[in-house]
Amino acid sequence: MGLLRALLLLLATGTSTGTPPGTGTPPGPEPPRVVLALLARNAQHSLPHCLGALERLDFPAASIALWCATDHNSDNTTAMLREWLVAVGRDYHSVVWKEVEGPSAYPDELGPKHWSDKRYENLMRLKQEALSYAREQRAHYILYVDTDSILTNNQTLKFLMAQNKSVVAPMLDSQTFYSNFWCGITPQGYYRRTADYFPTKNRQRRGCFAVPMVYATFLIDLRKEEAARLAFYPPHPNYTWAFDDIIVFAYSCQEAGAEVHVCNQQRFGYINVPVKAHQTLEDERVNFVHLTLEAMVDGPPMLRSRHVSVPPKPLTKMGFDEIFLINLVRRPDRRQRMLASLRELEIAARVVDAVDGSTLNSSDIKVLGVDMLPEYYDPFSGRTLTKGEVGCFLSHYSIWKEIVSRGLERSVVFEDDVRFEVSFPARLRRLMEELEGTQQDWDLIYLGRKQVNAEDEAPVEGVRNLVVAGYSYWTLAYAISHRGAQKLLAAEPLSKMLPVDEFLPIMYDKHPNEDYKRHFAPRDLLVFSAHPLLVYPTHYAGDSNWLSDTETSTIWDDDSKQTAWTGSRKTLRDPRGGGGYLRSSAHDEL
């Protein structure tokens, strides 16, 4: 405890703790000296990931001086940051630690996400203090990092240095069109939409581009002559724009003649979409969880620091009797991602090993009592059933059997290629509570699907965001009742099999093919759908990382006939939109 207390005392008083270069320092010229400025407030939701990314940067820690400040916290930010600095501080050249004990709010702020003038002023003063410190230490660079910016690319710092720019930022990805730069600014200092923003954000054009403003995470080259004229506080004497730290700095760059750039050649990391001034820290946490899930899909994932203590999340079944996750044993990457995603969402799931259609031979299929519906042909390619589709059907069928045998009243079934919408657990809970309140019977509720026909579907009275389902593809995720599972089993579908996402619309009498429907009676399954949907596919046919074990397979009774998605178009992105990466509620870059 003596060493710990001594280090804490040094950190608390802002004394530098110099350390020799780490064992990983390569021979050769001495690396440039960098001050890394980290300002944290109410950041316990993102801080472990932010710190984890910083400690993984491929740059000698012994050449980095940490300058950290925190104040006005109502969460565990101070303790987390202190714990991390105690653990890693000796690896860095020096550490400056500024902690303000005191109130959790500014006197003029309306809530923890409201930016008042006093809050802006304090932030500008702190950024200026970090800049002055870097100049006093004769650092070559200062890297500002916000705690909602996660640099998953460990080459980011080296890359930014190599650009030889006065002020340069890595373009950060988010859950929406939001990022950490502006492409245009009005003469009054307001945001100006330009034709360059979306091609840059979407990487349709790649490079390092001159822009009027960057923020959140950026590097200043202190060796440049114009960098000596940069300031955060006080604002420039001629400044008349909004009292906002990022706009004040943009104006300072303009007056100093320091060109500002943003680079998007690589994926550098992520930035959380900020919540509105009236929202809460919990809203911000939910947003960040969603960003974490998106990073798991799009990669690379955001990893927490191993030096910060984070208690395990309590897992629940969201009021359901069971949560099933279907996964092929030979797809461990999908299993790991889905289980990690569900843990972030605080959902307890039971993995069900999927039936691997590729391993089934004709004898296996016969023993299982499987036979194809005689008239079935894929509506796009004209092919018959694939072995992958047989395995998929049998996997869902086994869950329906378990639901009935265990007497489970309400269950959720996930496949392993799901991308969750923001606030998924809360939105599903609310939907189910409202449905119960109406005493509406139900057998199955699509949580994710592809609506085949464009016509509107009837809303369910008394339940927000629920419609009567029309003809639909996909079985990504659905809630199912005990009675619903009984109805599906009673139809005896194994002896007249077709893809499971064609079977379900038959059972609720919305399938357009009358020949298929005459094999199944009664067709009285009560099926609804969340609207908007709560999950989407992680990828679509044609995407670089798309993979389907149902489409890319062989014909069910002939291994010599290979199939691919180019025949069946079910897995293409819906051209009407609404499917996945960018939400309809977030079509603005601000």
Side-chain angles (χ1 to χ4, degrees):
M1 285 299 294
L3 177 61
L4 175 63
R5 285 176 182 155
L7 182 54
L8 285 175
L9 180 61
L10 287 169
L11 297 179
T13 57
T15 305
S16 298
T17 56
T19 56
T23 56
T25 303
E30 186 176 333
R33 296 185 300 278
V34 181
V35 169
L36 195 160
L38 183 71
L39 285 72
R41 185 195 178 197
N42 290 328
Q44 71 173 23
H45 58 283
S46 62
L47 191 56
H49 298 81
C50 177
L51 298 176
L54 295 180
E55 67 196 35
R56 294 181 184 92
L57 284 174
D58 182 19
F59 194 83
S63 294
I64 298 177
L66 296 176
W67 193 97
C68 304
T70 187
D71 59 82
H72 293 84
N73 293 303
S74 58
D75 66 3
N76 202 35
T77 294
T78 300
M80 278 185 170
L81 193 51
R82 184 186 290 270
E83 180 184 20
W84 184 73
L85 289 171
V86 168
V88 306
R90 292 191 178 278
D91 298 332
Y92 289 85
H93 175 274
S94 55
V95 176
V96 172
W97 167 240
K98 295 185 67 64
E99 171 196 346
V100 177
E101 300 277 0
S104 61
Y106 290 89
D108 60 338
E109 73 178 5
L110 305 178
K113 302 315 299 176
H114 172 231
W115 281 88
S116 66
D117 283 350
K118 288 189 180 299
R119 182 176 180 183
Y120 274 126
E121 180 179 344
N122 185 56
L123 181 61
M124 285 186 267
R125 286 179 179 274
L126 288 172
K127 286 186 174 182
Q128 183 64 41
E129 189 174 337
L131 182 59
S132 299
Y133 173 78
R135 287 166 174 160
E136 291 165 5
Q137 297 298 309
R138 299 182 180 275
H140 300 106
Y141 300 92
I142 182 168
L143 176 68
Y144 285 94
V145 179
D146 279 4
T147 53
D148 61 355
S149 301
I150 316 298
L151 299 176
T152 52
N153 184 335
N154 71 348
Q155 299 300 310
T156 299
L157 181 53
K158 287 182 176 178
F159 179 93
L160 296 178
M161 289 177 174
Q163 305 315 301
N164 192 29
K165 306 293 186 186
S166 299
V167 180
V168 60
M171 192 191 80
L172 301 176
D173 294 292
S174 73
Q175 311 95 308
T176 69
F177 292 121
Y178 178 75
S179 191
N180 60 320
F181 69 99
W182 288 8
C183 273
I185 194 166
T186 71
Q188 295 76 34
Y190 295 109
Y191 178 80
R192 181 170 63 87
R193 181 168 287 175
T194 73
D196 291 331
Y197 183 84
F198 289 107
T200 306
K201 172 65 175 68
N202 298 331
R203 293 189 174 84
Q204 292 159 328
R205 66 169 194 156
R206 291 174 181 253
C208 278
F209 304 105
V211 293
M213 179 192 292
V214 293
Y215 51 95
T217 293
F218 55 92
L219 184 76
I220 302 175
D221 187 341
L222 299 174
R223 301 169 303 176
K224 303 284 188 182
E225 179 184 351
E226 58 271 23
R229 298 189 292 271
L230 296 176
F232 291 92
Y233 192 87
H236 190 277
N238 299 332
Y239 186 78
T240 59
W241 295 354
F243 195 64
D244 178 315
D245 64 298
I246 63 175
I247 303 177
V248 165
F249 184 67
Y251 187 89
S252 176
C253 291
Q254 180 178 300
E255 289 297 306
E259 202 168 32
V260 178
H261 288 80
V262 66
C263 301
N264 69 351
Q265 298 98 314
Q266 301 178 22
R267 293 183 68 91
F268 295 104
Y270 302 90
I271 184 169
N272 198 28
V273 175
V275 296
K276 306 297 184 185
H278 67 276
Q279 292 183 279
T280 65
L281 296 180
E282 174 61 15
D283 295 322
E284 188 169 55
R285 184 197 69 80
V286 169
N287 263 10
F288 188 77
V289 167
H290 186 234
L291 180 64
T292 304
L293 302 187
E294 294 290 279
M296 289 180 188
V297 173
D298 298 327
M302 303 189 299
L303 303 176
R304 293 183 178 90
S305 169
R306 57 189 176 87
H307 300 297
V308 176
S309 303
V310 179
K313 295 188 175 187
L315 305 183
T316 75
K317 296 179 181 178
M318 301 183 294
F320 291 88
D321 298 312
E322 191 62 272
I323 311 288
F324 296 96
L325 170 60
I326 300 173
N327 168 259
L328 282 169
V329 173
R330 59 184 170 88
R331 300 289 183 215
D333 53 333
R334 290 187 171 192
R335 179 180 302 213
Q336 291 164 10
R337 184 197 67 81
M338 275 297 293
L339 288 175
S341 297
L342 292 167
R343 280 195 298 271
E344 288 293 335
L345 293 169
E346 303 181 12
I347 297 172
R350 188 172 78 77
V351 177
V352 175
D353 291 338
V355 176
D356 192 342
S358 68
T359 67
L360 297 174
N361 56 39
S362 55
S363 299
D364 297 327
I365 290 173
K366 200 167 285 184
V367 167
L368 292 168
V370 172
D371 202 356
M372 190 184 75
L373 187 72
E375 298 94 344
Y376 175 71
Y377 293 95
D378 181 87
F380 299 96
S381 67
R383 62 160 172 77
T384 59
L385 206 64
T386 70
K387 279 192 173 181
E389 289 169 332
V390 172
C392 181
F393 197 114
L394 291 173
S395 301
H396 285 272
Y397 186 85
S398 71
I399 289 175
W400 303 338
K401 287 179 65 176
E402 182 175 339
I403 288 170
V404 172
S405 66
R406 289 175 58 191
L408 304 177
E409 287 301 320
R410 304 193 317 171
S411 304
V412 172
V413 180
F414 289 117
E415 294 181 343
D416 63 3
D417 54 350
V418 167
R419 184 190 291 264
F420 292 94
E421 282 289 84
V422 67
S423 302
F424 171 82
R427 292 165 70 178
L428 180 55
R429 283 193 186 98
R430 188 185 71 183
L431 187 152
M432 298 306 296
E433 288 168 2
E434 292 182 2
L435 185 58
E436 284 181 11
T438 65
Q439 299 185 328
Q440 166 72 56
D441 288 334
W442 65 277
D443 294 323
L444 186 143
I445 301 171
Y446 286 109
L447 307 180
R449 61 171 178 147
K450 183 175 184 177
Q451 183 183 349
V452 177
N453 300 318
E455 65 263 16
D456 291 338
E457 295 168 319
V460 177
E461 187 176 351
V463 185
R464 290 171 290 179
N465 310 124
L466 191 68
V467 296
V468 178
Y471 182 32
S472 305
Y473 289 149
W474 304 343
T475 49
L476 287 174
Y478 57 88
I480 185 169
S481 69
H482 182 269
R483 187 184 64 184
Q486 285 179 316
K487 288 181 179 181
L488 295 175
L489 295 177
E492 299 181 349
L494 297 191
S495 61
K496 43 200 173 185
M497 186 180 287
L498 71 171
V500 66
D501 64 347
E502 301 279 10
F503 171 61
L504 293 181
I506 289 173
M507 292 300 293
Y508 59 91
D509 208 26
K510 292 294 178 69
H511 201 290
N513 191 306
E514 296 297 329
D515 290 335
Y516 297 170
K517 291 198 291 189
R518 63 184 173 82
H519 292 274
F520 301 92
R523 298 185 298 274
D524 59 352
L525 199 69
L526 295 175
V527 178
F528 304 96
S529 175
H531 179 77
L533 297 171
L534 300 182
V535 305
Y536 292 93
T538 55
H539 301 90
Y540 295 86
D543 290 352
S544 58
N545 293 321
W546 178 80
L547 176 68
S548 171
D549 290 294
T550 56
E551 301 289 343
T552 307
S553 184
T554 60
I555 296 301
W556 76 290
D557 59 353
D558 187 349
D559 284 339
S560 68
K561 293 183 178 178
Q562 301 283 328
T563 62
W565 75 267
T566 50
S568 177
R569 302 288 172 169
K570 282 185 181 181
T571 49
L572 288 172
R573 188 187 302 272
D574 190 335
R576 295 183 298 259
Y581 299 87
L582 300 170
R583 283 66 185 168
S584 59
S585 61
H587 284 327
D588 202 302
E589 57 268 37
L590 288 178

